Structure formats: C-alpha cells, structure tokens
Amino acid sequence: MKHVKQEFNKDSSDCIALLGSTGSIGTQTLDVARRLGLRVCSLSANANIKKLEEQTREFRPAIVSVFSQEAARDFKVRVGDLDVQVVSGMDGLIEAACADDAHTVVTAVVGTIGLLPTLAAIALGKRIALANKETLVCAGEYVMNSAKEHGCEIIPVDSEHSALFQCLCGENPKDIKNLILTASGGPFRGMTHNALINATPEMALRHPNWSMGKKISIDSATLMNKGLEVIEAVHLFAINPDRIKVVIHPESIIHSMIEYTDNSVIAQMSEPDMRLPIQYAITYPQRCSSQISELDFSKYSSLTFESPDFETFPCLRLALQTAGISGTACAVLNGANEAAVDLFLQGKLGFYGIFESVQAALSHIGNVVNPSIDDIIEADRAAKDFVYMQKN
Ligand code: MG
C-alpha cells in the first residue's frame, strides 16, 4: 500500500490555548500549529514581549497574557493596533487557559505556576496537552481526580509519557507489569561524583540530544528530571512507583516502553523531536503527517542501555524515594528543586548543592497527608523560601 499524506481532520478541535508560548515547548507548539493550520485563541508568556508580539501578529489570538504587570503595560502599547485583550498576573494566566474557543490547552509554562490555570481549564472540560510536569508532581492526585470528575482528557506531552501513552493504546492498563522510562543520561553521563563537584551551569546546559529550556536542562543534568517524570507517571498511569523502572538509553530513540504481564515489551521510537509528542497530544486519536524526520535505522547501528548511577546522581534516588509518599512531600521536592536550580543558574549554589538543598527541605518541612490545593501551594512556597533563605 502506498503511503498517503495524512492531514489533520480538525472538526471542532482546531483551536488551542498556549500557556508559555515563548519557551522551547511553546515555540515548537506554534511550529505544529502553523503546520496543522490550527487557530490559536490565547498566548501567554512571562516577560519576553518582543517574541510574544511577533507571535501575536502572526496568530492573532483573542487573549494574550503577560505575567509581569509592567511588561503587560508595555505589551499593550506595542499591540495597540490589534484587536486583542491583554491580561496579566495569575488571573490573566487563568483567563488565557480558559479562553472560550480553546479545545486543547497546551500547558508549556515552567514550574508550579502552571497548577491553577491547568485546574481551571480542567474544570471547563478542556483537553490538557500537558507539558508542565510540575503540575502533576505537586498535585497529581488532586489534578487526576479533578480531570476524572470533569471528564477531561490529559494527554502527556513529555516525550516519555507520550511514549507510554502510545504504547498503551489498544491495551488493558490492568495488563501492565512495569513502565520503563528511558533517560538519555544527560550531559554528565559516565562521569563521577568527584568530577562533577565543580560542574558549572554552562557545562550542565549542554544537553547531547534535546534542545530544551534552562530549568529542564539542569534537571536533566542532575537526573532530577527523570525522578520528576517517575512521579508524573505514577499519577498519569495510576501505578505504584516500584513498578516504574528507569533505564539509561543515550541515543534517545526509544522514548519509553511498557512491559506487559506476558513479558512482552512495547516501545515507542522516533527521532528526538518534541514536535511529535506535541502534535500527537493535539491530534489524538488521529495521527497526521508531521515535519519530524523519518527514523533512519542505518544511522543507528546499535541502541544501548545501562543502569542509572545513583551515587553520581543522588537527585534521582531522592525523587524515587519521595515518589511513594502521598501528601505534600512531592510538592516540597519539586519546589525546593525549582529554587535550587535557580540558585545554581545564578552561580550561588554548586552542582551537588541542588541535591543537598532539596534533601534539607524534605527533612525540614513536614508532610501534610490528604492535602487541599492550598496545602500544596503552601508546601511549594515553604520549600522555595527554605532553599532561598539558606543562601541569603
Ligand atoms: Mg521528558
């Protein structure tokens, strides 16, 4: 049978709201939108108003949210000739997430700032294309319950979780034996603890396979990213953390795998390009032609696998230990990590200072069982305050 180029059959699902449009996932989402001919009904960014103006002129959204109030005022002047509503702050971000026409909300903001807008969009029954893993790490139980209650689909954009989601299509979740999350190993794979004591942000930002934002690049260097992804998978797939394995796979071709009860393992593969999971989350259950290169097996004579090195990358161990604790512990882990990565990027904390800060926050801040959303937000704030206070 000849391959026929498959266009996206849009129906009513052709309009997206995009939270975090100027970041790495945001700009790649707009690449996908351009290619699929999607409408974009809202855009949002923190303060990069130059890029946001270009995006606004191209996609003509009805609402644009600029988180910083000062930047929002400047932005309003810049787009004075356009028919666009400019909003700001957390209320503005929530308004952008709830934009009337949006069928799918792509949550590409970084950090716990994504939590409330995501919950607001869930309450309206919109599809969530979830790229903001911190939302599930902090408040996974709460978010998944809310999605169930409102009949809302959460489709992962994180490449590993998109892979798992795809490996699960047509299968019974009851037949899952283990989830196998692959990890590239990051820029410091194969290095020792001693060699990394003086690792700098510049060294940590050089990821071998993926081009990503700064926060996630540092999380990839410490392997905290993989730990956060295990917690994300716990909630997305309602599975115990002891049934999630992490395997280092430096080529980043297999994006994750599911081992079923009969020991059959199903893997999802592609070139490492985030536009594929982004597109799939928008078009699911359809598959359409994409701008991603075909996988050329002649280029990859071997695919390799190794076990993670928990001594050199203690953040991964810490995250796996925390993954099994229900309550606010994961919110503390995540919040402390966010602050510690910020301090590391500013040169105020060493590479292993990230691990030490997160570990100290976890032992200092008590776990609240059955937390409300306010408890979760408070745990996040307390963890960040704790880490910043240690350095000031
Ligand atoms: Mg990932």
Side-chain angles (χ1 to χ4, degrees), residues 133 158-161 216 225-226 229 232 274:
K133 71 187 71 174
D158 211 345
S159 59
E160 295 78 1
H161 305 76
I216 188 170
N225 182 53
K226 209 47 55 181
E229 288 181 352
E232 188 184 2
M274 286 308 295

Side-chain angles (χ1 to χ4, degrees), residues 27-326:
T27 50
Q28 294 182 82
T29 300
L30 292 177
D31 270 357
V32 171
R34 212 175 271 125
R35 181 180 159 96
L36 295 179
L38 302 177
R39 291 183 298 134
V40 178
C41 55
S42 73
L43 289 171
S44 81
N46 182 25
N48 186 353
I49 55 174
K50 190 169 173 280
K51 199 168 198 174
L52 191 57
E53 182 186 350
E54 284 166 23
Q55 295 177 340
T56 303
R57 292 196 181 277
E58 181 182 354
F59 289 95
R60 298 299 172 104
I63 302 175
V64 176
S65 155
V66 185
F67 198 79
S68 144
Q69 281 191 352
E70 204 187 324
R73 271 194 296 274
D74 293 346
F75 183 76
K76 216 168 172 170
V77 175
R78 292 175 86 122
V79 297
D81 58 316
L82 300 181
D83 182 18
V84 57
Q85 186 191 351
V86 180
V87 292
S88 70
M90 183 51 82
D91 288 347
L93 195 56
I94 290 172
E95 209 169 324
C98 295
D100 278 345
D101 283 358
H103 170 271
T104 299
V105 182
V106 181
T107 62
V109 291
V110 179
T112 36
I113 194 174
L115 178 58
L116 292 177
T118 304
L119 284 171
I122 287 173
L124 295 175
K126 295 187 186 295
R127 172 184 291 187
I128 308 295
L130 188 88
N132 172 238
K133 71 187 71 174
E134 289 89 346
T135 289
L136 280 187
V137 171
C138 284
E141 237 175 284
Y142 196 95
V143 169
M144 294 310 288
N145 284 339
S146 177
K148 203 180 275 174
E149 187 187 327
H150 293 98
C152 153
E153 297 170 301
I154 296 188
I155 318 285
V157 168
D158 211 345
S159 59
E160 295 78 1
H161 305 76
S162 174
L164 294 171
F165 188 86
Q166 294 179 58
C167 294
L168 194 49
C169 285
E171 300 286 346
N172 186 341
K174 287 198 179 76
D175 295 332
I176 297 175
K177 187 170 174 184
N178 290 299
L179 302 181
I180 304 165
L181 251 74
T182 53
S184 69
F188 297 151
R189 182 178 65 87
M191 292 174 78
T192 61
H193 183 284
N194 277 349
L196 289 178
I197 287 173
N198 296 317
T200 62
E202 291 68 34
M203 290 157 71
L205 287 171
R206 259 179 250 134
H207 197 281
N209 303 346
W210 296 95
S211 136
M212 307 181 290
K214 280 187 179 174
K215 198 279 181 169
I216 188 170
S217 294
I218 302 303
D219 285 347
S220 295
T222 61
L223 292 197
M224 178 61 97
N225 182 53
K226 209 47 55 181
L228 299 178
E229 288 181 352
V230 167
I231 300 169
E232 188 184 2
V234 163
H235 297 294
L236 270 173
F237 302 102
I239 195 162
N240 281 333
D242 57 3
R243 286 169 58 204
I244 305 177
K245 296 176 181 171
V246 174
V247 171
I248 306 292
H249 165 51
E251 295 84 8
S252 294
I253 295 301
I254 296 179
H255 300 305
S256 277
M257 306 177 253
I258 298 184
E259 181 182 24
Y260 286 97
T261 42
D262 57 358
N263 291 342
S264 173
V265 176
I266 297 186
Q268 186 264 336
M269 295 188 252
S270 74
E271 286 287 338
D273 187 325
M274 286 308 295
R275 291 174 300 181
L276 182 59
I278 293 167
Q279 171 170 312
Y280 187 72
I282 294 169
T283 64
Y284 168 82
Q286 292 183 56
R287 284 193 186 270
C288 318
S289 310
S290 74
Q291 66 256 72
I292 291 103
S293 325
E294 280 177 18
L295 194 50
D296 177 0
F297 283 97
S298 64
K299 247 171 64 188
Y300 301 98
S301 55
S302 62
L303 295 180
T304 58
F305 306 93
E306 45 192 78
S307 300
D309 172 358
F310 292 105
E311 295 313 311
T312 309
F313 303 101
C315 282
L316 177 59
R317 179 167 32 89
L318 188 60
L320 296 182
Q321 285 163 352
T322 313
I325 306 172
S326 76

